[in-house]
Amino acid sequence: MSALDFDLIAPEVIAGIRVMPELHERVDIAGLARRVLAEINPDVVAVELPTTFAQPAATAVARLPKISAVVSEEPGEDALVWVVTPGDPLVEAMRWAKENYRGTFLIDPDVRYGSRRRDHLPDPHALHSMGADRYTDLLRRLAERTTHDDGDRLREKGMAHNLQQLAGDVDGTVLALIGAAHVLRVSKLLSGPTAPPLARRRRTHVSVRHLHPDSLTAILPDPSLAHGVWEMLRRDGVPA
């Protein structure tokens, strides 16, 4: 079965842009992302990470398989943290782009995040028992019901604008990996006019920190062993 038969890719609402919903830090979705990347073979990869994280994100991804945390601690704000693991779909997309000499762009505008919440989305391991079609249909339906606030809407408008700008500058296909909770609204926004978001352009306190292996079990949604197996499969040339 072709990766595109999974119906993970939204319609091309604007020429040259394809959008894939993903679940952060989940190894099963990283494998699916790899298949989609191989099928589409995009000229540019876009990922849902803050635009201000570009350099530290590249540094952390280059450190793999050592697991890092990109941490920003701006005065008066909660810390913003991204744990960089081999089995994160966003990481897989960034690594694929580097290995295939493609550009990578971060498209999430750096706006003040709202309160953290847990979206009720299906366990990605169910992909193997349900089959891709049923799983992605459930993922789409549940993601559409997730609550969102003004901060989410601002981020989604910003991602749509950044994608439109990127597509205008690229001669070829852009594949964007966006969290499932946002992907439908971003896709709809792409079909109309957008405006640049009022967002932070840079952060003054961003660092890349090594995480001790003993802490990984408490931090990662998937077992650290799963990420280790995925890293070995990648190294040995796991088929897409």
Side-chain angles (χ1 to χ4, degrees):
M1 179 182 287
S2 163
L4 296 185
D5 291 336
F6 292 165
D7 200 22
L8 270 172
I9 307 302
E12 290 193 33
V13 293
I14 182 172
I17 299 178
R18 309 300 294 271
V19 183
M20 173 182 167
E22 58 89 24
L23 300 178
H24 303 323
E25 300 179 27
R26 304 314 298 264
V27 178
D28 299 275
I29 307 302
L32 196 53
R34 184 177 175 88
R35 297 182 66 179
V36 171
L37 286 157
E39 181 78 26
I40 294 179
N41 192 25
D43 297 275
V44 168
V45 170
V47 294
E48 184 203 320
L49 288 171
T51 55
T52 52
F53 272 23
Q55 186 53 56
T59 298
V61 170
R63 294 186 75 237
L64 290 165
K66 293 181 179 179
I67 294 179
S68 309
V70 179
V71 181
S72 175
E73 298 176 292
E74 296 292 322
E77 299 181 18
D78 293 337
L80 187 60
V81 181
W82 178 45
V83 179
V84 183
T85 60
D88 187 325
L90 302 182
V91 170
E92 178 58 35
M94 296 174 73
R95 296 175 93 181
W96 181 92
K98 184 176 181 180
E99 293 162 0
N100 290 276
Y101 306 100
R102 310 298 165 82
T104 299
F105 292 86
L106 281 54
I107 58 168
D108 195 357
D110 193 338
V111 299
R112 185 71 70 96
Y113 277 63
S115 57
R116 299 295 191 270
R117 65 176 186 277
R118 178 178 291 276
D119 295 319
H120 298 288
L121 299 174
D123 186 332
H125 193 66
L127 173 69
H128 305 288
S129 58
M130 294 178 64
D133 291 334
R134 289 177 59 205
Y135 176 80
T136 54
D137 179 62
L138 178 62
L139 176 63
R140 184 184 302 104
R141 287 188 285 110
L142 291 179
E144 194 169 19
R145 298 175 191 169
T146 58
T147 59
H148 59 287
D149 55 25
D150 290 342
D152 292 318
R153 284 184 280 270
L154 184 58
R155 289 177 56 209
E156 290 156 3
K157 291 177 181 178
M159 283 190 274
H161 176 78
N162 290 336
L163 273 174
Q164 285 184 341
Q165 295 296 109
L166 181 57
D169 295 336
V170 171
D171 184 17
T173 301
V174 177
L175 175 62
L177 281 78
I178 297 174
H182 304 290
V183 72
L184 289 175
R185 291 189 292 270
V186 171
S187 296
K188 291 176 182 177
L189 288 166
L190 284 171
S191 62
T194 62
L198 184 62
R200 178 187 278 119
R201 299 297 179 184
R202 63 183 296 271
R203 284 180 172 260
T204 57
H205 299 81
V206 185
S207 59
V208 178
R209 303 180 186 178
H210 179 64
L211 293 177
H212 194 282
D214 291 348
S215 68
L216 299 181
T217 301
I219 294 173
L220 304 181
D222 285 333
S224 53
L225 176 61
H227 289 276
V229 170
W230 174 250
E231 182 67 22
M232 292 190 334
L233 290 172
R234 280 192 98 261
R235 184 190 61 202
D236 295 340
V238 58

